[in-house]
Amino acid sequence: MAWSSEFLAEISAPTVAPKFALEFLPGYDGLGPGADLVITSHESADLNLGSEISVGGGRISPGTWSHTAGSWSVQVVGSLYTIIDAGVQRGNLARLLMGFQGWDVDDFEPVALGALSSIQGVAPVYTLTFSDILSHLQSRHDDDASRLALFDSLDLNDADLTPVTSALTSNYDPAISSTVVVSNLSSFEIGDSRGVVMLSDDDNDPFFLTYTSVTSTTTFNGILTSDLCNTTRVSLSTGSNAVAQAGAFLEGHPVDIARQVLASTSGTSNGSYDDLPQTWGLAVYDDWLDHEDMNDWKDIIGNPAGTTHDWEVIVLEGQTNAMGWLSGILAPAGIWIVARQGQLSVRAAQNLDESSSDTFSPPLTAEVSITDDDIEAITNHYLWHPEVSVEAMTTKVWYNSGHSSVTAPDSVSVTDLLLTTLPGTTWAEHDLTGVIFQAHADPATDVANRCHMWETRIPESVSLQCRSLRLAQLCPGDVVTLTTDKLEGRLPETTDDGYVDELMMVTSVSVDWTSGIVDLELAASSSVAGT
């Protein structure tokens, strides 16, 4: 859950005197090396937290929707042998907790989550640096060095990604076959509801089939009786070197797919999304996932009444950069994973024009207002956002209106018809043909409507230094309001009359917890085309 109201009230006070605790976590079920150790800032011991504690948050880039993870660091003072004797190693997972005078450590709230990447310094003062949990999740953690890739079970050999295959031992006819029989399927795995195989031979293009169960070690049951994911079923005979290749099949809302990959441990003990095979998941503790916040954002991504926003994703090989793979399938839809208030959640691009009809729902805001009372310094103001290099005339989203390979991909577009800045480009394209196979256009329309405000015009960018720890609750993708008389903008109907209750998207957050300084980068979009 998000931070408690009591915690938010404390950090919103004019004067804040926080207490901290650094908690190293025991490892479990593939979460890497563990150590049971808590270092605090408020007890006399051989090792205490020092006066320098900072958290550098991630960054989102408008238009590309690529998210960069941050890092954080703490200072410790005393004997380093406290850490060494506890068995702490590089890669140990840890949480930074914060509370206040009179609070029990159990009531502290997490403010950062990550893994130890370095220790440096000279006795008795050391700096411990931690990678953001999103950086840490590039690979799985397993006691078998050959199983570090996500979806590792799809490969027999990590070095050359040799696929798991099995020869067909009976002919397959799409008109009559309800099963597929192979020599051995012991290395094939099924997801939460269906598994997938890719069939191929010497003479035909490969095609996908899903199945619902297996019999013994040779037969796939509940075989799909229609084409899948732009492939066409054909008859295969055992005399043509026909084989079945193992795949991973993920289906559902993209937010739920992300939760499944993050949480799964090959069981049901890690929450309601722990339902994928072991090597398909990253085994993130369920209580590190802010499900309530994720559900709020899931509700504003697609899902107009009477339709579905579900995706179908097929994976055929292990992914050595797990978080890179997951981020890569989400980014074209303007969705990203964030570290927020000591947990993981999601954010998505939004159309901030509250009067726009090009959206399924009004903007979801963080209900945070920033004024000159919070701002200590405006460190930069770009009239044209430095990370958005070109203005597009059209945002185009490609998708499939069905599974048949005969049908060419469809697209949904939002066009400005007015290009006022150079350089320009015809299209800002989003390729969702690998995940959307719907009979309706709503999922693609949702992406176009949420993203086009940031792509068919160049947003403004504002960097603020604020003395207000309540702003530490924010993360990249949150929407806030900004009111200041110190800025003059260029965007018609939004900033050209100054910044007054202007809806802004947070693109970066960094917090110096001991000095009470929060550095923010914000972006403003226009509601007028071609600006």
Side-chain angles (χ1 to χ4, degrees), residues 261-523:
V261 171
L262 289 168
S264 288
T265 66
S266 185
T268 58
S269 60
N270 192 37
S272 57
Y273 291 90
D274 182 8
D275 48 20
L276 298 180
Q278 181 179 3
T279 66
W280 297 15
L282 293 170
V284 173
Y285 293 103
D286 184 64
D287 61 5
W288 289 3
L289 305 178
D290 190 341
H291 291 294
E292 182 178 349
D293 188 66
M294 285 180 162
N295 288 336
D296 288 342
W297 282 83
K298 175 182 173 180
D299 287 344
I300 65 124
I301 299 172
N303 289 328
T307 62
T308 177
H309 198 80
D310 286 355
W311 288 7
E312 292 165 290
V313 180
I314 292 178
V315 187
L316 293 174
E317 62 184 25
Q319 304 296 320
T320 56
N321 184 343
M323 190 53 62
W325 170 83
L326 183 56
S327 298
I329 67 168
L330 295 175
I335 306 170
W336 56 95
I337 299 172
V338 294
R340 170 187 179 268
Q341 298 182 22
Q343 293 179 295
L344 295 181
S345 189
V346 296
R347 289 295 181 265
Q350 296 192 80
N351 185 336
L352 300 188
D353 181 4
E354 296 177 284
S355 64
S356 173
S357 61
D358 293 340
T359 183
F360 292 137
S361 61
L364 178 63
T365 73
E367 299 182 356
V368 170
S369 298
I370 302 172
T371 69
D372 285 330
D373 291 338
D374 303 301
I375 300 170
E376 188 162 276
I378 297 175
T379 56
N380 230 321
H381 178 208
Y382 290 96
L383 293 189
W384 291 273
H385 198 294
E387 295 180 31
V388 183
S389 58
V390 296
E391 180 178 293
M393 293 189 68
T394 300
T395 288
K396 178 172 285 192
V397 183
W398 294 97
Y399 73 104
N400 300 289
S401 58
H403 284 280
S404 174
S405 62
V406 177
T407 304
D410 288 327
S411 66
V412 171
S413 299
V414 177
T415 302
D416 264 356
L417 297 177
L418 179 63
L419 190 68
T420 60
T421 70
L422 295 175
T425 186
T426 303
W427 290 308
E429 294 187 282
H430 300 251
D431 186 359
L432 298 177
T433 56
V435 296
I436 294 181
F437 304 88
Q438 306 276 358
H440 55 83
D442 283 336
T445 302
D446 164 60
V447 174
N449 288 343
R450 287 190 291 104
C451 294
H452 80 88
M453 298 290 290
W454 303 96
E455 298 166 353
T456 57
R457 66 222 57 192
I458 308 295
E460 291 187 27
S461 175
V462 178
S463 300
L464 305 176
Q465 185 178 88
C466 299
R467 186 171 292 281
S468 179
L469 279 180
R470 70 183 179 89
L471 302 179
Q473 66 185 283
L474 301 172
C475 68
D478 276 339
V479 174
V480 300
T481 61
L482 174 63
T483 299
T484 177
D485 59 9
K486 297 179 173 62
L487 292 172
E488 297 176 345
R490 51 164 262 274
L491 297 172
E493 296 187 11
T494 52
T495 68
D496 60 346
D497 289 329
Y499 280 74
V500 180
D501 289 329
E502 182 63 39
L503 283 175
M504 309 281 288
M505 180 177 68
V506 178
T507 57
S508 177
V509 184
S510 294
V511 184
D512 186 329
W513 282 99
T514 49
S515 68
I517 295 294
V518 180
D519 290 312
L520 297 174
E521 293 181 13
L522 311 174

Side-chain angles (χ1 to χ4, degrees), residues 29-362:
D29 287 348
L31 268 178
D36 190 2
L37 175 66
V38 177
I39 306 170
T40 69
S41 61
H42 52 286
E43 293 181 1
S44 177
D46 292 336
L47 186 68
N48 293 305
L49 293 179
S51 60
E52 297 179 8
I53 297 176
S54 63
V55 178
R59 173 188 298 274
I60 187 66
S61 298
T64 63
W65 308 114
S66 59
H67 181 260
T68 304
S71 64
W72 50 281
S73 64
V74 301
Q75 184 187 75
V76 296
V77 180
S79 173
L80 196 61
Y81 286 108
T82 301
I83 292 176
I84 296 172
D85 292 344
V88 172
Q89 302 177 45
R90 183 175 180 268
N92 268 139
L93 292 169
R95 295 193 303 172
L96 179 63
L97 307 171
M98 178 175 152
F100 301 91
Q101 188 68 39
W103 285 33
D104 189 271
V105 172
D106 291 339
D107 296 324
F108 283 23
E109 292 283 6
V111 297
L113 180 64
L116 180 66
S117 58
S118 71
I119 300 177
Q120 64 187 74
V122 178
V125 181
Y126 302 90
T127 297
L128 278 59
T129 302
F130 298 81
S131 61
D132 185 284
I133 187 64
L134 297 177
S135 297
H136 186 63
L137 293 174
Q138 291 181 9
S139 62
R140 297 183 61 255
H141 297 275
D142 201 295
D143 55 9
D144 184 343
S146 68
R147 296 170 64 87
L148 299 182
L150 187 65
F151 305 108
D152 186 84
S153 58
L154 302 179
D155 304 318
L156 293 172
N157 186 301
D158 285 338
D160 58 12
L161 300 180
T162 303
V164 171
T165 61
S166 187
L168 267 65
T169 57
S170 66
N171 296 339
Y172 168 76
D173 184 342
I176 60 174
S177 296
S178 60
T179 63
V180 170
V181 183
V182 297
S183 59
N184 190 302
L185 51 73
S186 59
S187 296
F188 290 69
E189 293 181 310
I190 192 169
D192 63 331
S193 60
R194 291 192 284 171
V196 69
V197 292
M198 184 175 72
L199 301 189
S200 62
D201 67 4
D202 291 338
D203 304 315
N204 297 282
D205 292 333
F207 60 91
F208 296 116
L209 292 175
T210 59
Y211 60 94
T212 57
S213 64
V214 298
T215 298
S216 184
T217 60
T218 59
T219 304
F220 296 103
N221 300 313
I223 291 295
L224 184 72
T225 57
S226 59
D227 295 334
L228 179 69
C229 296
N230 283 343
T231 62
T232 301
R233 296 167 304 140
V234 297
S235 296
L236 299 180
S237 66
T238 57
S240 61
N241 293 323
V243 298
Q245 178 178 335
F249 189 68
L250 309 174
E251 58 182 331
H253 192 283
V255 172
D256 292 338
I257 290 174
R259 285 193 267 201
Q260 287 179 314
V261 171
L262 289 168
S264 288
T265 66
S266 185
T268 58
S269 60
N270 192 37
S272 57
Y273 291 90
D274 182 8
D275 48 20
L276 298 180
Q278 181 179 3
T279 66
W280 297 15
L282 293 170
V284 173
Y285 293 103
D286 184 64
D287 61 5
W288 289 3
L289 305 178
D290 190 341
H291 291 294
E292 182 178 349
D293 188 66
M294 285 180 162
N295 288 336
D296 288 342
W297 282 83
K298 175 182 173 180
D299 287 344
I300 65 124
I301 299 172
N303 289 328
T307 62
T308 177
H309 198 80
D310 286 355
W311 288 7
E312 292 165 290
V313 180
I314 292 178
V315 187
L316 293 174
E317 62 184 25
Q319 304 296 320
T320 56
N321 184 343
M323 190 53 62
W325 170 83
L326 183 56
S327 298
I329 67 168
L330 295 175
I335 306 170
W336 56 95
I337 299 172
V338 294
R340 170 187 179 268
Q341 298 182 22
Q343 293 179 295
L344 295 181
S345 189
V346 296
R347 289 295 181 265
Q350 296 192 80
N351 185 336
L352 300 188
D353 181 4
E354 296 177 284
S355 64
S356 173
S357 61
D358 293 340
T359 183
F360 292 137
S361 61

